[in-house]
Amino acid sequence: MFASSTKDVPEVRSVPRHIAIIMDGNGRWAKKRFLPRVAGHKRGLDTVREIVGACKELGVECLTLFAFSTENWRRPQDEVSFLMDLFIRALEHEVSKLHSNNIRLRVLGSRERFSADLQERIRRAEDKTASNDGLALNIAADYGGRWDILNAVNGLIAEGVTEIDEEALSQRLSMPWAPEPDLFIRTGGEQRISNFLLWQLAYSELYFTETLWPDFDRAALETAIDSYQCRERRFGRTSEQLPEHLRRDGR
């Protein structure tokens, strides 16, 4: 269990322990090339491979990728079907590679609307990598931040808890094992968090880039980390209260 940034001041490291990413821009990447939107999603999977490998090499402990939101079910049915098939193919072809690289995979979100086949593949993938202690890779699929909070609250009510505090709620959220994200990245030019990790992003550093997800490579990730390293993470304190090596601009 990790401490809450609103209750305790977390350790600040030069490399973020936990990076959370909204992978936006696949459709627009394809449209710019006069390709169907699904071609962008397919190319985006190549970027996932590159960023996972880069995070592992850079010493990031936890990487959470927003793959499919609860609102994405509103998209055209053919695109949703393609994304579900792509998820299945990714689990079929990538899990062994993750396992051989000591990466642990977890899938966050509700699985009720997934096919029985996909649910079983997710279960097997999580079981296969469960003993790995390297990079923790979390894929948020049919996930929403409000769903996460409501699910936690309803779980506590079902257990008979009558007084809910922050610690109890945090333990029922989707990632009680993970530190809160230090760095949030959104590609594709939009500047919103779109119902992603609403509770967990309370004190994350936010980084937005115009780069479309299929073009977001290791160099782009390192640029985002460079931006993070220039931030002064005060967690409610003044600049003067920080150790000198954590001060940035003297505010």
Side-chain angles (χ1 to χ4, degrees):
M1 300 298 300
F2 286 88
S4 164
S5 58
T6 58
K7 304 286 284 186
D8 300 292
V9 176
E11 178 186 4
V12 176
R13 302 184 183 182
S14 59
V15 175
R17 298 183 72 183
H18 186 176
I19 297 177
I21 305 178
I22 292 182
M23 307 177 291
D24 198 10
N26 291 334
R28 281 170 285 157
W29 181 91
K31 186 177 180 180
K32 286 174 61 177
R33 290 159 178 78
F34 304 101
L35 298 170
R37 287 177 56 84
V38 294
H41 295 305
K42 187 174 181 181
R43 176 63 182 84
L45 181 57
D46 295 334
T47 301
V48 170
R49 296 189 190 99
E50 181 172 359
I51 296 306
V52 169
C55 284
K56 182 177 184 295
E57 293 174 7
L58 291 168
V60 176
E61 295 179 10
C62 188
L63 173 64
T64 302
L65 302 176
F66 204 6
F68 192 85
S69 75
T70 53
E71 293 78 40
N72 285 154
W73 292 105
R74 303 169 183 168
R75 293 191 173 189
Q77 185 56 48
D78 59 345
E79 183 173 346
V80 171
S81 296
F82 179 85
L83 289 169
M84 293 300 107
D85 289 342
L86 186 63
F87 198 179
I88 288 173
R89 292 200 299 273
L91 289 170
E92 182 178 352
H93 297 293
E94 304 297 329
V95 172
S96 293
K97 298 175 188 176
L98 295 175
H99 184 51
S100 64
N101 281 283
N102 195 33
I103 295 171
R104 180 167 188 175
L105 175 69
R106 292 182 175 97
V107 177
L108 315 177
S110 174
R111 304 179 188 180
E112 295 176 358
R113 288 188 279 188
F114 292 157
S115 67
D117 179 40
L118 179 52
Q119 291 184 45
E120 176 60 20
R121 288 175 185 270
I122 291 171
R123 186 193 64 77
R124 292 204 304 264
E126 291 181 328
D127 287 348
K128 185 179 182 69
T129 63
S131 61
N132 295 340
D133 58 4
L135 175 69
L137 173 61
N138 308 306
I139 304 297
D142 198 5
Y143 173 89
R146 290 184 177 181
W147 167 87
D148 198 0
I149 295 169
L150 288 171
N151 189 57
V153 170
N154 286 330
L156 290 167
I157 292 172
E159 293 172 6
V161 178
T162 57
E163 186 171 335
I164 299 173
D165 58 18
E166 184 173 324
E167 181 178 2
L169 182 62
S170 296
Q171 291 177 10
R172 290 295 306 229
L173 292 171
S174 293
M175 293 189 294
W177 63 83
E180 295 176 4
D182 301 294
L183 174 62
F184 163 88
I185 299 170
R186 180 168 187 154
T187 63
E190 303 291 353
Q191 298 189 21
R192 55 178 178 266
I193 58 174
S194 295
N195 198 22
F196 183 43
L197 301 177
L198 296 179
W199 182 276
Q200 296 90 337
L201 291 176
Y203 266 101
S204 301
E205 301 299 325
L206 308 183
Y207 179 85
F208 301 99
T209 175
E210 296 288 334
T211 303
L212 302 176
W213 177 247
D215 294 326
F216 190 83
D217 55 13
R218 176 172 179 148
L221 174 66
E222 291 178 348
T223 297
I225 294 174
D226 287 343
S227 174
Y228 164 84
Q229 291 172 342
C230 293
R231 313 285 180 90
E232 192 172 76
R233 308 201 72 201
R234 298 193 294 273
F235 300 98
R237 299 166 295 173
T238 67
S239 179
E240 290 73 21
Q241 290 177 282
L242 302 182
E244 187 173 351
H245 71 282
L246 295 179
R247 299 177 189 176
R248 294 293 180 263
D249 57 13
R251 287 181 295 174

